[in-house]
Every structure is written in C-alpha cells, then in structure tokens.
Amino acid sequence: MINRHRVQALMRKDWRELARNKQVIAPLVILPLVFVILMPGAVLLLGSDPGLLTTMVAGLGGFLDNLPVRALPAGYSAEQLTVYAIIVYFMAPLFLLIPVMVASLTASSSFVGEKERGTIEGLLYTPLTDRELVLGKVLASVIPSVLLTWASFLVYTVLVNALGASLMGGVFFPTWTWVISVLALAPLVAFLATCLIVAISGRSTTMQGAQGTVVLIVLPVLALIVGQATGLVLFDAWIAGIAAAALLVIDVAVFLAVVGRFRREPIITRL
C-alpha cells in the first residue's frame, strides 16, 4: 500500500526546492510565453497577409498545400483558412512540447538534484518505500507541468479568440483535438517523460545528463510535427485519442518497470 501522506510530504519538499531554483523557474516562464503568446499573436496580427505568414513560418507553405480540405471549415476566405490551419492544426503538436520540456526541467533535478544538494542519502534512508519514492518524484514534476500546460491552454484560448474574432467572424477555438490533447495527451506525455528522466537521474551524476533523456520523448513529438507539416499525418481528434489510449498503457508499463528496477543501494554506493 502507498502511504499518501509520505508521498505528499516528498512532493511538497520538492516543490519548495523547485521554487528556489531560478535556473528552472526562468525557462518555465519563457517557454509558454513563446508558444502561447508570441507565436499565435504574430499569426493573428499578420492574418490578413497569408504570403507574409508563409514566409515567416518555416514549412507552412507545404503544410497548407497538404492539409486535407475536409479538415477545414467551409465558407472561409483564404486569409481565414490560413489562420485557422495554423492556430488549430499547426500549433497543436507544438503545444505538446510544453509539458515535455517543463517535466524535463523539473524531473531532471529529482535524484541528481538531491545528489548535488547533498540530501540524497537522507532521503534514501527515510521510511518511504521504493514505489512511494518514485511516485512522489514523478508527481512532483508532472503536476506542475500539467498545471502550467492547462494554464497556457486557457491563455492561448482567450488570446486567439480575442485577437482572431474579427477576422474569423466569431469564436473559433478550441476544437476537440485540442481538448483531447490538453486534457489527456499532455498529462500522459509529461508522466512518461518524467518516469524516464527519474529512472535515468538515479544513475546520472549531473542534471545535464539526466535532461538528455528528454530526447526520447521529444523525437516522437517532432516526428508528429514533421509528419503533419509534410502531409503524412493529420493530427486530428482521432489521432489524439488513439495516441492517448496507447500512452496510457505505455505509462503504466514504464512506471512499473522503473519501480521494479529502482535500487537504493547502487545509488548510495555511487555517492
């Protein structure tokens, strides 16, 4: 049985240490700022000039050419279709980078951060079971990354509707693809990234080494971005739903594997 109070105590300790780490806090502010405000803001402000948008956004021309007609609302002008395609489809997989990158920043300081602060030995000798220790470390990173992603989604929704209402003829966002992505895919992706980073950080001696694990999660997301940009795959509600179902199974398997392979003795002997 998992002792909820011990897990929560570990999470609160990690959050206090995270709040004092300016090297982690700064990117947590900059990353959503770029994806949530700067990029969509530029798209909507330049929406009346599709040619300029195509020049500024790399790969946008090919993406628009390969986007199926069935994916776009009927009756939109060329300007409206360009803005809709970018805000709804082009930005969707990019948005998934937020929980991955945030989770990597917070999770990489799990065991490695404890080593650098000289607190790992005391933590390993606490009454926490291996499952409680891993779960506490994972949730301490997943919860902030998910909350930040959800907050970013709310800001994104308000921003694109406020700036785009006049051009688009009213509120046009969010779509079911975004709802599934933010509510289901984002937490699942963050959980998977955190589990892998926590597993590696127990064997790493530097935070940079632990952060390198995030490449394993970023690559599939980048493949999705490239696939959509080249027309190989359309990231719609069906794809998001299938991906969420598959990730749920993968997350459970990876978490159990991480807990099963977690050993305190090798970590202590490497101190």
Side-chain angles (χ1 to χ4, degrees):
M1 290 292 292
I2 293 179
N3 188 305
R4 177 170 55 89
H5 299 291
R6 290 201 294 252
V7 173
Q8 290 175 343
L10 176 59
M11 291 164 57
R12 287 193 295 269
K13 180 189 75 69
D14 278 9
W15 288 337
R16 287 193 298 268
E17 293 169 350
L18 177 63
R20 294 193 293 264
N21 191 339
K22 296 181 180 179
Q23 292 181 331
V24 174
I25 295 298
L28 299 187
V29 176
I30 295 173
L31 186 64
L33 179 65
V34 173
F35 286 108
V36 176
I37 297 178
L38 296 183
M39 291 182 65
V43 168
L44 291 164
L45 292 175
L46 298 173
S48 59
D49 190 343
L52 182 58
L53 280 178
T54 303
T55 302
M56 292 184 61
V57 182
L60 180 59
F63 167 70
L64 294 175
D65 292 338
N66 292 309
L67 193 63
V69 177
R70 61 178 174 81
L72 299 171
Y76 272 9
S77 65
E79 293 82 2
Q80 290 173 320
L81 288 175
T82 300
V83 170
Y84 186 90
I86 297 173
I87 296 298
V88 173
Y89 289 108
F90 195 80
M91 291 294 297
L94 286 173
F95 211 83
L96 289 177
L97 291 175
I98 295 178
V100 173
M101 300 306 294
V102 172
S104 73
L105 288 170
T106 55
S108 60
S109 65
S110 57
F111 290 111
V112 175
E114 298 280 2
K115 292 177 183 178
E116 293 180 348
R117 292 187 295 269
T119 59
I120 183 66
E121 189 169 4
L123 177 64
L124 295 176
Y125 283 123
T126 62
L128 285 161
T129 65
D130 290 347
R131 180 166 295 189
E132 291 169 351
L133 183 55
V134 173
L135 180 62
K137 287 292 185 182
V138 169
L139 292 181
S141 295
V142 170
I143 292 176
S145 67
V146 171
L147 292 179
L148 183 59
T149 302
W150 287 351
S152 300
F153 172 67
L154 291 177
V155 174
Y156 185 87
T157 300
V158 173
L159 179 70
V160 298
N161 285 315
L163 295 181
S166 59
L167 174 65
M168 306 300 292
V171 175
F172 68 100
F173 188 86
T175 64
W176 279 112
T177 300
W178 276 83
V179 172
I180 295 172
S181 297
V182 173
L183 296 184
L185 272 181
L188 292 170
V189 168
F191 190 89
L192 178 59
T194 306
C195 282
L196 293 176
I197 294 172
V198 167
I200 297 298
S201 65
R203 298 172 174 81
S204 300
T205 57
T206 64
M207 291 178 61
Q208 289 76 13
Q211 287 175 344
T213 313
V214 76
V215 175
L216 298 174
I217 306 300
V218 171
L219 284 178
V221 177
L222 292 178
L224 179 61
I225 295 171
V226 173
Q228 178 152 284
T230 56
L232 295 177
V233 62
L234 176 65
F235 188 64
D236 57 12
W238 284 103
I239 296 295
I242 293 172
L247 272 175
L248 179 60
V249 176
I250 294 172
D251 281 3
V252 173
V254 170
F255 175 75
L256 294 177
V258 171
V259 173
R261 294 176 61 86
F262 180 77
R263 298 291 184 271
R264 300 184 186 218
E265 292 77 9
I267 296 177
I268 295 175
T269 56
R270 283 195 289 266
L271 294 177

